[in-house]
């Protein structure tokens, strides 16, 4: 248990559906992240929020829409996705300014787009 | 050139042997280096970080950094089957972004 909880753990959706991924952290951290993990590829940083403000958007297509209502919650809204968007989506949190800047990851949401 | 490169493996070693995992990076301004372990179906977890040239030891794990050659390695002594996982190298570059490699899959044979 890392203190970062993601729901749902598995999601299957059609290309015309709209769904959302949810992340909640109980660590008191002020930075939250969305990463995409595809087979045989490096973890790809998608979005970063520091103190609820988006500080990084790594050229992510607009069909992915993040939302951070407070420092403990992060959402990823999905609409009109493509089959190549099928991947494991990992949420992480960290405490800015710490020496290690360690990322604490959730267990991930496995997304399949049909 | 990839920003952080790792051999995908699998690296297969017998139980009790030393496993050596290597990583090279392209950004000469990188300051912080991390090794994460990811078991199949699980999320990555931090096992080591290193900032200074040389070796850093923590139990059976030793991280080695050579900034001049732009490589960082992880040695696992007395490897156990429970060490079988994918090991991700991550580098915090001059942009302060954490960039991950694709990972090396380690298989420890009983």
């Amino acid at each position: 248990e890392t203190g970062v909880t993601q729901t749902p753990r598995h999601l299957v959706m059609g290309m015309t559906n709209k769904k959302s991924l949810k992340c909640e952290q109980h660590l008191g951290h002020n930075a939250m992240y969305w990463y995409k993990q595809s087979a045989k590829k490096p973890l790809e940083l998608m979005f970063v929020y520091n103190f609820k403000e988006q500080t990084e958007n790594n050229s992510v297509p607009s069909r992915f829409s993040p939302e951070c209502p407070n420092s403990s919650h992060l959402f990823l809204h999905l609409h009109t996705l493509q089959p190549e968007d099928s991947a494991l989506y990992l949420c992480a949190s960290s405490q800015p300014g710490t020496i290690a800047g360690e990322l604490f990851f959730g267990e991930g949401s496995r997304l399949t787009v049909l | 050139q990839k920003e952080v490169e790792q051999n995908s493996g699998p690296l297969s070693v017998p139980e009790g042997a030393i496993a050596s995992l290597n990583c090279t990076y392209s950004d000469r301004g990188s300051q912080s280096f991390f090794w994460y372990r990811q078991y199949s179906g699980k999320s990555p977890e931090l096992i080591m970080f290193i900032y200074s040239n040389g070796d850093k030891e923590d139990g059976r794990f030793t991280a080695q950094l050579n900034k001049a050659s732009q490589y960082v390695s992880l040695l696992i002594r007395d490897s156990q089957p429970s060490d079988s996982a994918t090991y991700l190298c991550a580098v915090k570059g001059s942009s302060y972004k954490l960039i991950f490699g694709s990972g090396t899959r380690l298989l420890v044979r009983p």
Side-chain angles (χ1 to χ4, degrees):
Chain A
E1 181 61 52
T2 64
V4 181
T5 304
Q6 289 187 243
T7 55
R9 295 291 310 278
H10 300 273
L11 179 62
V12 179
M13 58 188 289
M15 290 192 285
T16 57
N17 292 157
K18 289 184 181 181
K19 298 285 184 183
S20 296
L21 306 180
K22 179 183 175 182
C23 177
E24 182 175 0
Q25 58 97 358
H26 308 276
L27 301 169
H29 291 164
N30 290 309
M32 295 189 77
Y33 310 74
W34 280 116
Y35 280 87
K36 176 183 179 183
Q37 189 173 37
S38 305
K40 306 290 187 188
K41 292 176 71 174
L43 276 167
E44 297 173 57
L45 178 64
M46 300 175 72
F47 301 103
V48 182
Y49 280 82
N50 278 289
F51 296 92
K52 303 188 300 178
E53 299 297 319
Q54 188 180 119
T55 55
E56 187 85 33
N57 177 338
N58 213 24
S59 303
V60 180
S62 59
R63 57 186 183 269
F64 295 92
S65 174
E67 179 190 359
C68 188
N70 54 61
S71 293
S72 299
H73 293 86
L74 185 64
F75 295 89
L76 188 62
H77 303 300
L78 316 169
H79 62 99
T80 59
L81 294 190
Q82 305 299 309
E84 61 265 28
D85 296 323
S86 298
L88 181 67
Y89 289 85
L90 289 163
C91 174
S93 71
S94 72
Q95 188 60 10
T98 57
I99 295 174
E102 177 181 0
L103 291 177
F104 291 80
F105 287 91
E107 295 290 349
S109 294
R110 172 73 60 186
L111 173 66
T112 302
V113 181
L114 301 176
Chain B
Q1 181 188 9
K2 293 180 185 176
E3 294 182 81
V4 179
E5 290 210 53
Q6 296 181 257
N7 188 318
S8 61
L11 172 66
S12 182
V13 301
E15 185 174 354
I18 296 175
S20 177
L21 305 159
N22 300 312
C23 170
T24 58
Y25 59 94
S26 59
D27 183 352
R28 282 200 168 273
S30 299
Q31 296 295 323
S32 312
F33 307 86
F34 305 82
W35 284 99
Y36 282 79
R37 177 177 62 200
Q38 186 173 22
Y39 290 113
S40 181
K42 297 293 186 180
S43 57
E45 56 177 333
L46 182 69
I47 52 172
M48 291 283 291
F49 63 89
I50 187 167
Y51 303 113
S52 306
N53 274 330
D55 295 0
K56 179 182 178 183
E57 190 173 316
D58 184 1
R60 294 187 297 113
F61 298 97
T62 299
Q64 299 176 315
L65 174 61
N66 184 323
K67 289 186 179 180
S69 300
Q70 294 176 247
Y71 85 80
V72 57
S73 61
L74 179 70
L75 301 178
I76 306 175
R77 288 182 300 282
D78 188 23
S79 295
Q80 301 297 309
S82 58
D83 294 325
S84 298
T86 297
Y87 289 80
L88 306 175
C89 173
V91 176
K92 190 169 284 188
S94 48
S95 67
Y96 299 101
K97 289 185 192 180
L98 193 61
I99 307 297
F100 284 85
S102 301
T104 298
R105 193 158 71 92
L106 173 66
L107 189 62
V108 181
R109 309 187 304 272

